[in-house]
Amino acid sequence: MSSRIFGFIAVVVIAVFAGVTGASAQNTFSYVSSTGNDANSCTFASQCRTFQRAHDQTNDGGIVQALDSVADFGPVTITKGIRISGMGDNNPNQRAYITVTSGSAVTVNAPANKGVTLVNLELRGSGTGDNGVLFNSGGLLQIYGSSIYGFGAASPYGHGVKFAPSAFSRLAIFGSNISGNGTATTGSAVQVNPGSGGGAQVDLTNITAYSNAFGLAIDTSGSSSGVQAVIHGGVMQFNRQDGVVIVSGAPISVTLDNNALMMGNAGYGVRAIGAGANIRLNQATITANTTGVAGVSGGVVSSYGNNSVDGNATNGTMTIIPLK
């Protein structure tokens, strides 16, 4: 009798665990298309219609791939390590797009040790959306070959990318156009604004920040950790305020190099505000701004002596650092 009872229990336990395993099984690769349906499983043969459904059907560390570029795939909140991609790696004609009129197109609430990658997306804010990408938590956010524009909500929103980690995190943006964001006086292409306990390393490579309120804005007034950032090449042009502005609570170090161009900004080309705010220029061009460079309230702008700071209404002055 006892052997039959234990045998019965074993069968039940196996069946229960099999059911749990089956229920939690998800995709390593998930797919969306304009003809997909969110009742589907998001496999290649049975595509979903929205990024959110595909995200929810994808394993941690998996990939969501758009199979066409003729439909809006809707906003998505990311809670795991994942890659979300348009059809190609950097082809404007193959970008998968997300349009919002309020809120953020992409919200990242990932675990602290997880990386999130966005590739070849077009995020549209319709002039009133909050942010293209709002990053609250995660280990790493990478954005490749994307276009982010039209996020015009009032402060504290109106950013192409708002990077506001509550712990140390990394941001890397490559070859992307982030333009037309913010109001007349607030908002930016990229804002780095760590919360209490938050800090960041930032790499902006060959990005275009055109006609935003600010290009890059870093503010550590609410953070106990600092920010290190580098701008490799690229253009921050015709923004309504500054090309780059940093406001220090915790220390901030920004390096502009590799022919980075700050041009035609209505405020400053680069501005460092507060003790601990440091901007270093190495083979950068700063021209046609109202003011080229400025260090304010203890902030410092330094030059390695190999830059072009000329043709501004006021060029400003820099601390010279010898090349080594």
Side-chain angles (χ1 to χ4, degrees):
M1 176 66 71
S2 60
S3 62
R4 291 180 181 178
I5 292 173
F6 282 118
F8 173 75
I9 292 174
V11 170
V12 171
V13 169
I14 291 170
V16 168
F17 275 95
V20 170
T21 302
S24 62
Q26 294 180 310
N27 308 320
T28 300
F29 296 90
S30 294
Y31 300 89
V32 296
S33 73
S34 59
T35 58
N37 189 310
D38 277 355
N40 293 340
S41 59
C42 305
T43 63
F44 186 80
S46 185
Q47 302 121 34
C48 291
R49 181 62 184 80
T50 66
F51 279 139
Q52 188 64 65
R53 168 64 175 171
H55 165 277
D56 296 346
Q57 289 296 109
T58 305
N59 290 323
D60 181 70
I63 295 174
V64 173
Q65 178 76 51
L67 296 179
D68 59 45
S69 57
V70 298
D72 193 311
F73 294 110
V76 57
T77 297
I78 295 172
T79 59
K80 63 187 77 173
I82 201 166
R83 166 178 163 147
I84 298 179
S85 179
M87 292 175 64
D89 285 341
N90 191 7
N91 186 337
N93 296 319
Q94 295 182 326
R95 286 180 180 146
Y97 63 90
I98 298 172
T99 304
V100 297
T101 57
S102 63
S104 298
V106 178
T107 301
V108 181
N109 297 327
N113 61 340
K114 299 299 180 180
V116 172
T117 301
L118 308 176
V119 180
N120 211 37
L121 302 181
E122 183 168 318
L123 308 181
R124 306 170 176 179
S126 306
T128 55
D130 288 355
N131 306 289
V133 181
L134 171 60
F135 181 97
N136 295 313
S137 62
L140 169 67
L141 172 62
Q142 300 180 100
I143 302 173
Y144 292 88
S146 295
S147 178
I148 306 172
Y149 60 90
F151 292 88
S155 179
Y157 308 115
H159 305 283
V161 178
K162 182 178 177 67
F163 194 74
S166 55
F168 177 79
S169 301
R170 294 178 172 88
L171 170 66
I173 306 177
F174 304 93
S176 295
N177 186 318
I178 310 176
S179 300
N181 301 290
T183 67
T185 58
T186 65
S188 66
V190 179
Q191 185 199 57
V192 180
N193 184 207
S196 176
Q201 289 180 341
V202 178
D203 182 347
L204 308 181
T205 298
N206 293 329
I207 77 164
T208 298
Y210 180 94
S211 192
N212 306 278
F214 294 88
L216 170 64
I218 302 177
D219 183 351
T220 58
S221 58
S223 169
S224 58
S225 299
V227 172
Q228 293 181 323
V230 61
I231 301 173
H232 294 290
V235 176
M236 298 200 175
Q237 187 175 37
F238 299 122
N239 295 292
R240 295 181 290 278
Q241 301 293 324
D242 301 350
V244 175
V245 60
I246 64 175
V247 181
S248 69
I252 305 172
S253 174
V254 178
T255 299
L256 279 67
D257 68 8
N258 195 30
N259 298 310
L261 173 64
M262 308 288 120
M263 178 179 176
N265 298 289
Y268 297 78
V270 298
R271 182 166 50 141
I273 303 173
N278 292 280
I279 297 175
R280 295 176 176 86
L281 307 180
N282 182 29
Q283 295 183 328
T285 297
I286 301 175
T287 188
N289 306 283
T290 298
T291 302
V293 303
V296 180
S297 301
V300 176
V301 179
S302 303
S303 169
Y304 287 100
N306 57 356
N307 302 284
S308 175
V309 181
D310 189 36
N312 304 282
T314 300
N315 287 324
T317 58
M318 298 168 288
T319 300
I320 303 301
I321 306 172
L323 285 170
K324 297 178 181 179

